[in-house]
Amino acid sequence: MIQKHTSKAKAGAANILEEKTIWWDDDKSCIMAVEQTLLPTEYKIVEITTVDALADAIKRLAVRGAPALGVAGALGMALSARSAPDEGFEDAVAADAAKLIQTRPTAVNLSLGVKKVCMAMENLPPEMARVMGLYSAKLIAEEDTKTCMTLGHNGARLLPQIGTVLTHCNAGALACSSWGTALGVIRSAWKMGKQISVYSCETRPLLQGSRLTAFELARDKIPVTTITDSTAAYLMQQKKIDAVIVGADRITQDAVFNKIGTYMHAVCARYHNIPFYVAAPVSTFDREAKAADIVVEERGRAEVAEMFGKTTVPKDVPVVNYAFDATPLSLVSAIITEKGVLYPPYDFKDL
Ligand code: MRU
């Protein structure tokens, strides 16, 4: 179950650049993660000691963001192997894998992380599978950080020397094991000396933009202003935005799946001739799939109909709450990956 980890729990803690969002603790033999639902007021690290607790944390968005979900899936399988009995080991691990994958169907990294660790354990006796599973999960976590740093470096040159960038949701350190994808690009540009300021869309209904992105950037002292999602078009019309940059949960042959609202920004950016960039690791590409094949996660009514402890929608009125939307690749100016920057017409074969 999830418990408070008091010794590391601290509000407004040290520089997030030096910190991990999710990792394995060898002494405790469990996952440690930032409890993201408490931000921005409380920065707390929690111990996740069972697959059920991890599945719950993912569903509640305590652990979230595509690359972080990939790491969570991988570490979750190490957790599963640790607790699975020798007898029936493979069945127990397979059941846990299925449980984790179904928690969030749209972000491809989650199932990829789970599957990679399952493959590393395949056909091994339980004792060896546990060692191999943990080794491969830790490697996935380490590689994620390196990937984000490289991706950030690759994308930084696309941003203006002095300018204002709009982002949606949170594609930062909190959405990865550290550094971030879209925010990784912004961080790299900032580190290079570019004077970037950021408009962070609040990102209804769960406010990842105002709670998490604004938190991360403010802590790094990168100028950030929070806006409501519906303010973005007006700022573009006022020529106050030089580029839009977002992350991705899955990139198919024809579309980028990202937080609901992303498509709206892409349409507005095209209308106003503003470049629209997507920053994502190669692991986010689903080369075989088209947008129509993808299940878009729908979430509960309460996220929209209950705000700040109040009911905000009449009880008989239905609510639609898609977590993601699909932006056609025709609206994307470039896709920034750790292997380089892709431009239209997109061809993912060589990735
Ligand atoms: O529902 P969330 O908060 O997991 O959605 C996250 C996003 O949409 C991010 O933009 C995406 O995962 C990219 S993270 C680098």
Side-chain angles (χ1 to χ4, degrees):
M1 59 174 294
I2 293 195
Q3 299 157 350
K4 284 180 196 172
H5 179 61
T6 44
S7 63
K8 271 206 174 183
K10 46 197 171 183
N15 190 330
I16 203 158
L17 301 187
E18 296 153 19
E19 290 177 281
K20 295 275 179 202
T21 300
I22 179 163
W23 70 97
W24 182 267
D25 186 306
D26 279 323
D27 294 335
K28 297 191 160 81
S29 202
C30 72
I31 298 171
M32 311 296 286
V34 177
E35 166 53 87
Q36 298 192 31
T37 59
L38 301 177
L39 287 167
T41 47
E42 217 177 323
Y43 187 84
K44 188 172 282 177
I45 308 295
V46 291
E47 296 173 13
I48 302 175
T49 58
T50 67
V51 169
D52 282 343
L54 178 62
D56 177 63
I58 293 173
K59 279 188 211 154
R60 291 188 297 109
L61 270 56
V63 173
R64 50 145 299 280
L69 288 174
V71 174
L75 295 176
M77 292 322 295
L79 208 53
S80 166
R82 192 204 59 178
S83 54
D86 283 358
E87 197 154 327
F89 179 84
E90 280 185 17
D91 289 347
V93 165
D96 282 342
K99 188 182 288 175
L100 287 178
I101 286 174
Q102 61 80 33
T103 52
R104 300 207 71 192
T106 309
V108 70
N109 299 63
L110 174 60
S111 60
L112 196 69
V114 167
K115 284 174 190 163
K116 275 188 183 166
V117 174
C118 286
M119 270 169 64
M121 297 195 288
E122 209 166 57
N123 298 327
L124 293 176
E127 211 165 309
M128 204 174 289
R130 289 185 190 106
V131 176
M132 278 309 292
L134 181 56
Y135 174 77
S136 113
K138 282 181 176 176
L139 207 62
I140 289 169
E142 270 169 39
E143 275 171 5
D144 181 68
T145 299
K146 286 187 202 144
T147 297
C148 286
M149 307 277 293
T150 311
L151 181 159
H153 179 79
N154 290 344
R157 67 185 164 80
L158 297 182
L159 299 189
Q161 187 59 36
I162 302 176
T164 302
V165 172
L166 179 124
T167 192
H168 189 71
C169 195
N170 173 262
L174 290 163
C176 305
S177 64
S178 64
W179 198 248
T181 56
L183 293 198
V185 172
I186 292 168
R187 286 196 163 101
S188 296
W190 183 257
K191 227 177 131 188
M192 255 175 211
K194 293 193 171 188
Q195 291 171 42
I196 304 293
S197 53
V198 180
Y199 278 118
S200 172
C201 293
E202 63 176 351
T203 316
R204 280 281 290 141
L206 295 179
L207 307 178
Q208 291 92 326
S210 54
R211 292 188 304 105
L212 310 178
T213 296
F215 170 80
E216 280 193 33
L217 292 175
R219 242 171 47 153
D220 284 355
K221 307 215 174 346
I222 297 175
V224 58
T225 302
T226 295
I227 56 168
T228 59
D229 301 339
S230 44
T231 301
Y234 185 59
L235 288 177
M236 290 185 197
Q237 191 187 45
Q238 300 288 307
K239 302 201 182 314
K240 290 190 172 155
I241 292 169
D242 299 300
V244 178
I245 185 160
V246 294
D249 288 86
R250 189 187 291 250
I251 301 175
T252 60
Q253 289 170 16
D254 50 352
V256 171
F257 285 81
N258 193 52
K259 178 54 54 192
I260 192 81
T262 300
Y263 173 44
M264 170 177 86
H265 297 316
V267 171
C268 288
R270 174 58 53 93
Y271 184 79
H272 292 98
N273 281 320
I274 295 166
F276 180 89
Y277 301 126
V278 172
V282 169
S283 55
T284 301
F285 287 74
D286 187 357
R287 275 164 283 196
E288 307 304 317
K290 292 211 162 195
D293 305 327
I294 305 309
V295 176
V296 175
E297 176 185 346
E298 285 193 67
R299 297 182 61 85
R301 172 188 176 85
E303 289 179 357
V304 176
E306 310 283 331
M307 275 175 73
F308 313 117
K310 288 202 161 127
T311 297
T312 53
V313 180
K315 76 174 170 27
D316 298 329
V317 173
V319 156
V320 173
N321 185 15
Y322 287 112
F324 302 100
D325 59 25
T327 298
L329 288 185
S330 57
L331 294 176
V332 178
S333 312
I335 305 178
I336 301 154
T337 78
E338 72 275 27
K339 291 204 175 165
V341 179
L342 309 177
Y343 293 97
Y346 295 107
D347 180 359
F348 304 148
K349 279 193 212 83
D350 295 331
L351 273 182

